[in-house]
């Protein structure tokens, strides 16, 4: 074999050469297969042509090469570094050319055939995913090359196989012409990252096949027809079906839906092979201007899902994919958009099995061309159309037999052009049983839904009311927010407000939160790394960490909020006292699979509980359900009914008793804490004593309360800005974090104006203001006591021209020791004004360390909302009105300065914030900011706290 360094194919706009036509993917059959996953020899070169292809021949000595795991990415295995960009190409934009500095990985695997490998027939070598361009040799024969990183490619290799010593060589280039089509807001991670498999192909084997399984909701009948390139028979024992391929048969069936994912096991048998089938009967249509499945309109409660593992990147195993699906189901998620490429095919098997609607998205994004006004965009250049059609075909043919897939998406953020229209035409001709999606098609010429990203609440409502204008075809289509509620850092805010709109207008058929998981890379020194942590010359920082899961797949508070907001049963106060209104929000299922319970709680303590009879309401139905009598002997105090809907029996995705939905109904109001001002301030020894407290006589600063040292208690308006505070320029919403810093709210100065010891109060008058500005907050602290308890009333009046809301308004102080916190209020997790739906009112307890939310980039976090009282550090604190509680072992300033979790080192003081209010969270890291009603406006305010020592409790335990 000659030595060559030909690399023209790298910059060829074609999809490649030598690969077989795309076909349906299936996981198993009775034909033999051999996984070639495992340890491969590996050599990295700086350029595409640095090495010849002599390594592909038998007898090549690669013993000195490194080793890598396949599936895997070489940059996550010690060879080079990952790169993160949102939309900027990390190379000069000169399509289809790529840099000479093109990291190229030569992969080598020598394998033997199993002893029972059949001697007859052929064989196919399948690659399920390689980024971004690969050239393949088997036993010295050049099989071809391919692009399309997240798509399968197969090669006929039966004539080349040997019983032993087969040499499989794969050259992978990081950059290629295909890279221009794969600019998808993710890490650039070259390598063979999905499975490599050798498949025996006996004579008469199954080639391509298409399972058509429709459902007639008016008759309850399903019609099955399996078209196959190889003649055979289709059997479905549970339905009594045994018919030739290509012949339709209609029988009564249970339909498939995301709520009731009924699958029938069948077999496609040809002369040479038997392939298991999992058949779901369902019909998808655009009817009456709505997306309907089996005759019913559906509401998508979805997430966008990039494939990610913090150590293996996009090389996911089945257990990780299963974990994702189970987490989605347990959090009431019913839909997935496969952003922005087809997922590992096993993921779609799981969606079929457990029940998730899927928008399957093509491996296409050319977002970086926005930098030049879409000039030279490949999707509007006929030279690239064969590559686009190849990508569309490989997606559709691979995934066409999955009932979970209800829409094909042409791609994402690729502008507009003739290539996209060609893709849409090809898909419609091949598969008329599904709808087409593409957000970039603003006039909906090629699509069946009006898709938007990050539309504001106001715009969504206008569209829901039919007041959006635009072309007539678009006005007749349903709206789907293919991306909304950007889940970056603390947030997203405003989910409940979006969901109210979705429920209010039929045309609004839901949306997909961006996104499922933070793409942090496990790093020994940083915790999780993000863009810029690997020395990239261009990067987009922690914008890659914008998920509802942390990189280790621990749910964020945002996921708990989303679960609550989209719960399929609404449990609210009834129309009359003593009742709860139950509404079935499912699209297909009644409530027979759920059991309901009640709990009567006084001051957060349960005093009675039981089951609640609820009729098996049909989808959309409501009923007023009578609550039981108040338990005899229940104490007085604030009381609530808590009603929960649980799984009555275990399912494939959760055990019996799993909470699907809950609601709380007020029964008795809260008693506001009262302190009669009876104690007098007494001065002496440089201190002023008032009831259980001692103050500095000169400054009026509190020193101790009930013997507990208190440090630096004063007004606080600053929070460590969130990703949404710092935000992005978005329509008319200002970037509040930047405005706050410009105004100087992170460096407020406290001027003492007066310390006044009166007959029954100690009053401290101050002005709190930033340097270099003429505005501020006139702040008065008024302390009173009844001898045992101490009341602080804080009054603030803004002066000057305040044109921005405040980040927070409350007091902050330090406690020397406070390991545990108990509170009565919202919990168990953090909550803010527009992220509070999941806050369940009750009694809670946690370690201070466990109150922190471990965002990959540290920022404001951990507030508990609607707190009536809290106990920590030997103190009990009651609020009038209820307050937000935050406690952490570092100051806000240190939190604000941290870039990674590892920058936060606990100190000796626990810093406590008691907030009268905080600014909302919003979604402005990419979408809209908090709605105006969640702004914390600078206006006169007054709030109080009552402090008392906890008798017999050491300050080191609380």
């Amino acid at each position: 074999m000659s030595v060559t360094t030909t690399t023209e194919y790298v910059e060829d706009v074609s999809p490649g050469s030598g690969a077989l036509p795309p076909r349906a993917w299936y996981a198993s059959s009775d034909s033999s297969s051999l996984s070639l996953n495992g340890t491969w020899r590996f050599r990295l070169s700086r350029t595409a042509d640095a090495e010849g292809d002599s390594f592909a021949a038998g007898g090549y000595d690669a013993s000195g090469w490194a080793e890598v795991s396949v599936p895997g990415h070489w940059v996550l295995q010690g060879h080079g570094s990952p790169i993160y960009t949102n939309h900027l190409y990390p190379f000069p934009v000169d399509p289809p050319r790529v840099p000479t500095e093109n990291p190229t990985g030569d992969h080598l695997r020598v394998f033997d055939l199993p002893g029972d490998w059949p001697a007859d027939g052929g064989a196919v070598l399948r690659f399920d995913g390689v980024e971004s361009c690969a050239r393949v040799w088997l036993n010295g024969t050049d099989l071809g090359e391919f692009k399309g990183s997240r798509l399968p490619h197969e090669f006929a290799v039966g004539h080349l196989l040997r019983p032993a010593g087969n040499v499989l060589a794969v050259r992978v280039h990081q950059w290629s012409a295909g890279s221009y089509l794969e600019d998808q807001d993710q890490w650039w991670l070259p390598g063979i990252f999905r499975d490599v498999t050798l498949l025996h192909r006996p004579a008469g084997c199954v080639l391509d096949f298409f399972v058509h399984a429709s459902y007639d909701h008016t008759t309850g009948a399903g019609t099955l027809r399996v078209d196959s390139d190889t003649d055979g028979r289709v059997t479905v024992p549970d339905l009594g079906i045994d018919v030739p391929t290509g012949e339709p048969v209609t029988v009564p069936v249970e339909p498939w839906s995301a709520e009731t994912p009924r699958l029938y096991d069948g077999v496609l048998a040809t002369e040479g092979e038997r392939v298991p089938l999992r058949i779901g009967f369902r019909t998808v249509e655009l009817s009456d201007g709505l997306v309907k499945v089996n005759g019913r309109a559906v509401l998508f409660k979805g997430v966008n899902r990039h494939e990610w593992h913090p150590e293996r990147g996009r090389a996911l195993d089945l257990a990780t994919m299963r974990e994702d699906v189970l987490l989605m189901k347990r959090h009431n998620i019913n839909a997935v958009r496969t952003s922005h490429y087809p997922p590992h095919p096993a993921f779609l098997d799981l969606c079929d099995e457990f029940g998730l609607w899927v928008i399957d998205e093509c491996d296409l994004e050319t977002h970086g061309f926005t930098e030049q006004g879409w000039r030279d965009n490949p999707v509007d250049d006929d030279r690239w159309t064969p590559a686009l059609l190849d990508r569309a075909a490989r997606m559709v043919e691979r995934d066409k037999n999955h009932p979970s897939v209800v829409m094909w998406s042409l791609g994402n953020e690729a502008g507009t052009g003739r290539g996209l229209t060609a893709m849409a035409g090809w898909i419609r001709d091949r598969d008329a049983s599904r709808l087409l999606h593409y957000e970039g098609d603003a006039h909906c010429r090629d699509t069946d839904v009006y898709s938007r990203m990050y539309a504001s609440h106001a715009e969504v409502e206008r569209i829901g009311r039919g007041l959006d204008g635009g072309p007539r075809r678009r006005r007749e289509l349903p709206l789907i927010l293919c991306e909304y509620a950007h889940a970056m850092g603390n947030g997203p805010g405003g989910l409940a407000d979006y969901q109210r709109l979705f429920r209010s207008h039929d045309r609004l058929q839901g949306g997909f939160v961006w996104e499922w998981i933070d793409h942090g890379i496990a790093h020994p020194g940083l915790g999780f790394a993000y863009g810029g942590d690997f020395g990239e010359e261009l990067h987009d920082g922690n914008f890659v960490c914008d998920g509802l899961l942390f990189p280790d797949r621990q749910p964020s508070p945002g996921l708990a909020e989303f679960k609550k907001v989209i719960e399929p049963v609404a449990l609210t106060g009834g129309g009359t006292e003593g009742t709860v209104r139950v509404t079935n929000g499912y699209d297909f299922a009644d409530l027979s699979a759920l059991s309901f319970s009640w709990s009567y709680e006084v001051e957060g303590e349960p005093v009675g509980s039981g089951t609640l009879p609820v009729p098996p309401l049909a989808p959309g139905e409501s009923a007023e359900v009578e609550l039981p009598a108040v338990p005899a002997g229940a104490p007085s105090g604030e009381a609530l009914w808590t009603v929960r809907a649980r799984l009555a029996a275990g399912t494939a995705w959760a055990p019996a008793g799993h909470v699907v939905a809950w609601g709380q109904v007020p029964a008795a109001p809260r008693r506001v804490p009262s302190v009669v001002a009876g104690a007098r301030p007494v001065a002496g020894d440089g201190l002023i004593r008032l009831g259980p407290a001692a103050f500095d006589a000169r400054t009026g600063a509190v020193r101790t309360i009930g013997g507990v040292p208190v440090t630096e208690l004063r007004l606080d308006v600053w929070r460590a800005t969130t990703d949404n505070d710092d935000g992005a320029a978005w329509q008319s919403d200002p970037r509040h974090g930047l405005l706050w810093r410009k105004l100087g709210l992170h460096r407020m100065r406290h001027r003492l104006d007066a310390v006044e010891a009166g007959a029954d109060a100690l009053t401290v008058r101050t002005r709190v203001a930033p340097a270099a500005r003429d505005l501020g907050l006139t702040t008065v602290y008024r302390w009173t006591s009844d001898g045992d308890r101490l009341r602080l009333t804080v009054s603030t009046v803004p002066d000057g021209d305040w044109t921005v809301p405040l980040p927070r308004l409350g007091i902050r102080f330090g406690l020397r020791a406070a390991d545990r916190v108990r509170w009565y209020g919202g919990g168990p997790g953090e909550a803010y004004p527009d992220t509070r739906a999941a806050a369940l009112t009750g009694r809670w307890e946690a370690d201070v360390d466990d109150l922190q939310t471990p965002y990959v980039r540290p920022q404001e976090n951990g507030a508990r909302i609607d707190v009536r009282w809290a106990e920590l550090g030997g103190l009990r604190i009651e609020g009038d009105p209820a307050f937000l509680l935050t406690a952490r072992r570092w100051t806000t300033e240190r939190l604000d300065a941290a870039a990674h979790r590892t920058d936060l080192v606990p100190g000796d003081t626990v810093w406590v914030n008691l907030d009268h209010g905080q600014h909302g969270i919003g979604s402005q890291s990419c979408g809209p900011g908090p709605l105006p009603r969640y702004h914390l406006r600078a206006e006169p305010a007054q709030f109080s706290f009552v402090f008392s020592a906890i008798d017999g409790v050491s300050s080191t335990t609380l």
Side-chain angles (χ1 to χ4, degrees), residues 222-226 233-244 247-253 264-267 279 281:
T223 299
L224 175 67
R225 188 185 82 244
V226 179
R233 297 194 72 80
V234 177
T235 56
V236 186
D238 284 356
L239 297 176
I241 292 176
D242 185 348
V243 295
E247 181 175 309
V249 58
T250 300
V251 293
V253 299
Y264 291 90
D265 290 324
V267 174
I279 302 165
F281 290 88

Side-chain angles (χ1 to χ4, degrees), residues 417-685:
R418 298 184 296 274
L420 287 165
T421 298
M423 293 169 68
W426 185 92
I427 293 174
R428 289 191 192 281
D429 288 344
R430 179 58 173 147
D431 179 23
S433 70
R434 294 177 173 92
L435 304 180
L436 273 184
H437 167 273
Y438 177 62
E439 181 268 342
D441 184 7
H443 292 86
C444 300
R445 296 188 182 99
D446 297 321
T447 58
D448 297 310
V449 294
Y450 178 26
S451 179
R452 289 293 307 279
M453 292 182 181
Y454 307 108
S456 69
H457 298 82
E459 183 180 3
V460 169
E461 183 168 18
R462 286 197 300 273
I463 295 171
R465 294 181 180 277
L467 304 176
D468 50 309
R472 178 175 180 178
R473 170 167 170 76
R474 191 178 78 186
R475 299 197 309 272
E476 295 173 344
L477 296 178
L479 176 76
I480 290 176
L481 294 181
C482 69
E483 294 179 22
Y484 81 114
H486 199 252
M488 185 176 176
N490 187 333
L495 282 169
D497 304 280
Y498 275 115
Q499 205 65 27
R500 278 192 287 271
L501 293 172
F502 297 158
R503 290 194 297 263
S504 300
H505 305 283
D506 290 344
R507 187 187 179 192
L508 307 180
Q509 291 199 254
F512 297 78
V513 169
W514 185 270
E515 66 154 302
W516 176 238
I517 188 169
D518 287 346
H519 295 197
I521 294 177
H523 190 288
L526 301 175
F528 293 107
Y530 48 77
D533 288 333
F534 297 96
E536 306 102 302
E537 62 182 9
L538 285 178
H539 66 85
D540 286 288
N542 69 313
F543 201 70
V544 76
C545 294
D546 46 14
L548 294 170
L549 296 181
F550 297 122
D552 59 3
R553 280 185 161 72
Q554 293 301 305
S556 76
L559 183 56
E561 178 79 357
F562 193 41
K563 176 187 178 181
K564 174 61 181 169
V565 164
I566 62 174
E567 61 188 10
V569 182
L571 301 163
T572 58
T576 59
E577 187 176 352
T579 65
V580 60
R581 184 172 182 82
V582 181
T583 302
N584 181 356
Y586 285 112
D587 295 324
F588 296 90
D590 63 23
L591 299 187
S592 59
L594 302 178
S595 63
F596 293 79
S597 64
W598 62 268
S599 174
Y600 186 78
E601 297 145 13
V602 178
E603 302 290 334
E605 290 283 4
V607 295
S609 62
T611 59
L612 188 69
V614 174
L617 301 171
E621 287 187 343
S622 297
E624 298 279 337
V625 177
E626 188 173 350
L627 292 164
V630 173
S636 61
E638 181 181 13
L640 296 167
W641 296 97
T642 300
V643 180
R644 293 178 174 87
R646 292 183 168 92
L647 291 179
T651 68
W653 48 269
H658 168 78
V659 176
V660 173
W662 59 267
Q664 290 188 303
V665 179
R670 180 193 177 207
R671 294 178 298 189
V672 177
S674 174
V675 174
V676 177
R680 293 178 56 88
V682 178
D685 301 326

Side-chain angles (χ1 to χ4, degrees), residues 6 16 38 90 105 163 197 288 374 381 445 573 575 661 742 786 929:
T6 300
T197 311
D288 302 320
W374 295 106
D381 183 335
R445 296 188 182 99
K742 183 177 179 181
D786 61 5

Side-chain angles (χ1 to χ4, degrees), residues 246-262:
E247 181 175 309
V249 58
T250 300
V251 293
V253 299
E254 298 174 35
W256 186 98
S257 74
E259 295 170 8
T260 55
R262 178 65 162 97

Side-chain angles (χ1 to χ4, degrees), residues 372-394:
Q372 53 200 61
W374 295 106
R375 186 179 68 252
D376 299 328
N377 184 11
V379 303
D380 200 30
D381 183 335
D382 292 338
R383 295 175 301 162
W384 295 81
T385 299
L388 303 184
L389 291 173
D390 181 77
R391 289 171 183 247
R394 291 188 181 277

